[in-house]
């Protein structure tokens, strides 16, 4: 049952891969368009969050349609999808294109695989997560590093390691926010 709900959540998570892939595929002249579209998405998402969190009727309707997709802590805080949109906006604004695309891909693909492997095969618990999930996250991030143009492999490897560590650690900040920003900052600093 838990794995089925996790697979549904992660299917939505995977759909967000359209953001880094679309950004990667568009010319530099579209950069401002991406920032504006993501800013509008963040504002809309935050407006929905305000209604969801502060109006009982809206919260009830939201829970009716999306209840099984919500994590327990999301009942009283921002949704992971809102954190993901904020992280996309900040990553695209703060980092060079290859770094932003790779950092967001670490989150979307690495975190998805970590959750699925951890829930289905994980046995060794670390900080409430599983070693198997973390190793799967690192393997996916490592593979992404190998295929991402514009980033030296050692820099991407450090980013992959940072993303994996920030996925694993029990930092009280949503992983949709902390994974791409921590990995992006690490890679961007090494590229200077």
């Amino acid at each position: 049952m838990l794995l089925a709900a996790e697979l549904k959540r992660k299917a939505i998570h995977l759909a967000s891969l359209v953001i880094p892939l679309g950004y990667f595929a568009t010319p530099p002249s579209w950069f401002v368009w991406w920032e504006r579209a993501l800013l509008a998405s963040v504002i809309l998402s935050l407006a929905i969050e305000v209604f969801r969190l502060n109006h009982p009727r809206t919260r009830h309707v939201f829970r009716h349609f999306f209840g099984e997709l919500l994590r327990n802590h999301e009942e009283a805080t921002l949704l992971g999808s809102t954190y993901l949109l904020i992280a996309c906006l900040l990553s695209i604004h703060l980092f060079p294109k290859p770094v932003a695309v790779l950092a967001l891909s670490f989150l979307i693909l690495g975190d998805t695989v970590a959750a699925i492997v951890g829930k289905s095969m994980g046995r060794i618990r670390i900080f409430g997560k599983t070693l198997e999930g973390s190793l799967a996250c690192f393997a996916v991030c490592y593979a992404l590093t190998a295929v991402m143009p514009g980033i030296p492999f050692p820099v991407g490897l450090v980013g992959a390691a940072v993303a994996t560590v920030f996925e694993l650690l029990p930092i009280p900040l949503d992983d949709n926010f902390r994974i791409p920003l921590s990995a992006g900052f690490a890679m961007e600093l090494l590229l200077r």
Side-chain angles (χ1 to χ4, degrees):
M1 202 71 134
L2 286 173
L3 183 59
E6 188 67 29
L7 289 172
K8 288 178 185 175
R9 273 193 296 271
K10 292 307 176 180
I12 294 168
H13 202 63
L14 282 174
S16 65
L17 193 58
V18 72
I19 295 170
L21 289 178
Y23 178 59
F24 181 75
T26 56
S29 60
W30 287 31
F31 176 77
V32 172
W33 180 89
W34 275 101
E35 283 190 328
R36 289 177 181 165
L38 284 168
L39 179 60
S41 298
V42 167
I43 291 168
L44 177 62
S45 184
L46 288 171
I48 292 169
E49 294 278 34
V50 166
F51 282 103
R52 179 182 72 87
L53 294 171
N54 294 299
H55 295 92
R57 185 178 171 130
T58 305
R59 185 176 22 241
H60 176 73
V61 169
F62 196 88
R63 198 176 309 126
H64 175 73
F65 286 104
F66 303 106
E68 79 171 6
L69 298 176
L70 297 177
R71 298 199 187 276
N72 290 336
H73 71 273
E74 291 177 325
E75 289 285 336
T77 63
L78 296 179
L79 297 172
S81 57
T82 300
Y83 281 111
L84 187 137
L85 284 171
I86 295 168
C88 286
L89 174 62
L90 290 174
S91 294
I92 286 173
H93 180 73
L94 295 171
F95 307 134
K97 186 185 241 183
V99 171
V101 169
L102 191 55
L104 292 170
S105 298
F106 287 167
L107 164 65
I108 296 164
L109 296 173
D111 183 52
T112 296
V113 170
I116 292 169
V117 169
K119 294 241 188 262
S120 64
M121 295 185 261
R123 302 288 178 261
I124 302 168
R125 306 293 292 179
I126 303 172
F127 301 124
K129 301 214 176 171
T130 67
L131 176 63
E132 296 84 355
S134 292
L135 292 173
C137 177
F138 182 74
V140 167
C141 294
Y142 176 86
L144 289 167
T145 296
V147 299
M148 182 63 193
I151 304 244
F153 185 75
V155 171
L157 193 57
V158 168
V162 169
T164 302
V165 168
F166 274 77
E167 189 278 330
L168 174 66
L169 292 178
I171 298 168
L173 182 62
D174 193 276
D175 61 356
N176 289 324
F177 190 76
R178 70 179 186 246
I179 292 171
L181 294 175
S182 61
F185 276 115
M187 291 185 288
E188 202 267 334
L189 287 172
L190 291 174
L191 287 172
R192 289 184 182 175

